[in-house]
């Protein structure tokens, strides 16, 4: 898996030129230009044209630029893909991917040389198909699974509280599928814009479950996501100790060593190196 940070992935409505301009100055790791939920039907064409112009203008620096297109079953999908497949974005985020056939259809429409696919996992069918979806990652160039918690909760007809308990099996299944394929897993959005305590708790939960980062709906959530999904000073210090310990000549051929009273293996070295590289 790439060592690139994806702690914070901010959805920006492609119909809002001011919001997109602001995104160039925000401290998020990923900007997702959204042609789907955030854009009204009568604004789809103009928003698509704005995305193309925005990507070509550039100016996003180190931020990864992703475009969420409309779904495969919508009248806008084909034109979305035709417009953005060759403009140099990092990935295409596709909503409501529910089957291997969906992934293969997206890959065919993007072309072999088109951008990688990020798939929204937001239907019950997608949860049941996760092993098959992740198994096609190399074939379809699927590089990320994104938890679509709002749509999934709606389809499940579950009652979500602050602990998101009804979604935990789906979230962990999404993470395991991503890990099996060696790809990225991003947590769903938090709708509680005026409740920073709840948002911080969701970030902590996402980290605990194993997500790489969180999708966001407002710039005010960026700092907390970066802090929550970024390594703490203690974690960085421990990573440095592990790397330094294995770098000693006497440990060069050892698979495991004792460090500060703990057994540390080479898998922990790999994790430490990844932490320091991000």
């Amino acid at each position: 898996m790439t060592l690139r940070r994806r702690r914070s992935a901010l959805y920006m409505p492609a119909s809002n030129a001011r919001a997109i301009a602001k995104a160039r100055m925000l401290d998020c790791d990923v900007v997702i230009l959204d042609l789907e939920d955030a854009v009204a039907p009568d604004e789809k064409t103009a928003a698509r044209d704005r995305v193309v112009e925005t990507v070509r203008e550039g100016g996003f620096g180190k931020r990864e630029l992703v475009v969420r297109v409309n779904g495969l079953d919508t009248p806008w999908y084909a034109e979305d893909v035709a417009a953005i497949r060759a403009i140099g974005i990092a990935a295409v985020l596709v909503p409501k991917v529910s089957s291997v056939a969906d992934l293969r259809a997206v890959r065919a429409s993007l072309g072999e040389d088109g951008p990688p696919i990020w798939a929204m996992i937001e239907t019950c069918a997608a949860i049941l198909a996760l092993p098959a979806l992740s198994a096609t990652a190399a074939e379809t160039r699927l590089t990320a699974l994104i938890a679509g918690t709002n749509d999934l909760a709606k389809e499940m007809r579950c009652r979500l509280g602050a602990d998101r308990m009804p979604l935990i099996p789906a979230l962990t299944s999404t993470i395991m599928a991503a890990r099996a394929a060696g790809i990225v897993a991003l947590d769903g959005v938090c709708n509680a814009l005026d409740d920073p305590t709840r948002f911080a708790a969701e970030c902590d939960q996402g980290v605990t479950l194993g997500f790489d980062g969180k999708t966001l709906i407002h710039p005010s959530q960026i700092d907390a996501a970066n802090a929550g999904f970024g390594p703490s000073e203690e974690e960085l210090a421990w990573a440095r100790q592990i790397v330094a310990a294995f770098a000693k000549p006497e440990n060069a051929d050892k698979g495991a060593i004792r460090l500060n009273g703990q057994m540390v293996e080479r898998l922990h070295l790999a994790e430490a190196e990844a932490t320091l590289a991000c």
Side-chain angles (χ1 to χ4, degrees):
M1 186 193 303
T2 178
L3 299 181
R4 184 177 187 132
R5 282 186 178 180
R6 295 183 177 96
R7 303 163 300 175
S8 50
L10 177 65
Y11 290 107
M12 300 297 283
S15 55
N16 189 329
R18 290 184 61 188
I20 293 174
K22 184 178 180 181
R24 291 182 169 94
M25 300 176 287
L26 297 174
D27 194 28
C28 53
D29 295 328
V30 183
V31 174
I32 303 173
L33 301 176
D34 189 11
L35 290 169
E36 193 212 11
D37 286 346
V39 180
D42 61 351
E43 296 180 330
K44 296 286 189 184
T45 299
R48 184 188 304 124
D49 293 341
R50 181 171 290 111
V51 164
V52 173
E53 179 183 357
T54 296
V55 175
R56 287 176 175 165
E57 286 177 353
F60 287 88
K62 64 181 181 179
R63 299 163 193 82
E64 198 167 13
L65 199 56
V66 175
V67 176
R68 179 162 72 170
V69 297
N70 289 282
L72 278 157
D73 60 348
T74 70
W76 307 288
Y77 171 79
E79 291 185 67
D80 286 351
V81 169
I84 57 92
R85 64 186 170 194
I87 59 175
I89 56 176
V92 174
L93 176 56
V94 184
K96 294 182 174 59
V97 171
S98 297
S99 68
V100 169
D102 288 344
L103 281 178
R104 287 176 174 155
V106 174
R107 184 75 270 153
S109 61
L110 288 171
E112 290 301 317
D113 296 329
I117 299 169
W118 287 15
M120 295 288 300
I121 304 301
E122 52 187 343
T123 67
C124 294
I127 297 301
L128 296 177
L130 277 168
L133 293 174
S134 65
T136 68
E139 171 196 345
T140 62
R141 294 181 60 209
L142 174 69
T143 57
L145 300 179
I146 316 301
T149 45
N150 284 337
D151 282 281
L152 182 58
K154 179 182 177 181
E155 186 172 307
M156 287 174 60
R157 303 177 195 168
C158 63
R159 296 181 179 179
L160 284 186
D163 62 0
R164 302 194 295 175
M165 183 271 294
L167 294 183
I168 296 300
L171 295 176
T172 54
S173 294
T174 300
I175 294 164
M176 286 189 283
R179 297 295 170 254
I183 63 178
V184 171
L186 297 183
D187 197 1
V189 301
C190 177
N191 301 319
L193 292 177
D194 297 324
D195 191 346
T197 300
R198 177 167 177 171
F199 181 76
E202 276 198 22
C203 288
D204 184 63
Q205 182 188 54
V207 171
T208 300
L209 291 174
F211 281 108
D212 297 296
K214 192 165 182 67
T215 49
L216 315 176
I217 56 175
H218 196 275
S220 63
Q221 299 174 324
I222 294 173
D223 288 346
N226 286 346
F229 285 91
S232 66
E233 288 303 319
E234 291 77 11
E235 290 169 330
L236 289 170
W238 179 237
R240 294 187 191 102
Q241 289 184 58
I242 293 174
V243 171
F246 274 105
K248 293 179 179 179
E250 62 268 28
N251 295 329
D253 297 324
K254 292 182 179 178
I257 61 174
R258 183 184 179 92
L259 181 62
N260 294 348
Q262 297 188 44
M263 183 65 70
V264 179
E265 301 177 41
R266 288 205 169 265
L267 66 90
H268 300 117
L269 172 62
E271 292 175 348
E273 290 172 337
T275 295
L276 296 175
C278 288

